[in-house]
Amino acid sequence: MGQPLPQGAPGGFLAGAVQTAMGVAGGMLLANAVAGMFAGEAQAGEPEAEPEMEDPGFDDSGEW
């Protein structure tokens, strides 16, 4: 039958594809982190106050 793979043998196409995908994802995370450092000073804005709406109350007039 098939012989066991020797130590350090490549895992085939899928192992290479996974390794490449992990390298690309890691590179994008690193690039985003570096770009964030040079993006300038971030300022947190305060949320705008929503205009107060008049409370119509409960209207049980029976009309549809």
Side-chain angles (χ1 to χ4, degrees):
M1 292 239 180
Q3 296 187 0
L5 293 174
Q7 292 290 340
F13 172 75
L14 287 179
V18 168
Q19 185 177 6
T20 301
M22 294 294 286
V24 169
M28 290 187 69
L29 287 173
L30 181 64
N32 283 337
V34 170
M37 288 191 292
F38 294 109
E41 195 170 322
Q43 296 181 1
E46 294 187 22
E48 295 183 20
E50 294 183 18
E52 300 248 352
M53 296 178 61
E54 186 177 321
D55 186 14
F58 182 72
D59 182 20
D60 191 17
S61 63
E63 296 179 20
W64 291 74

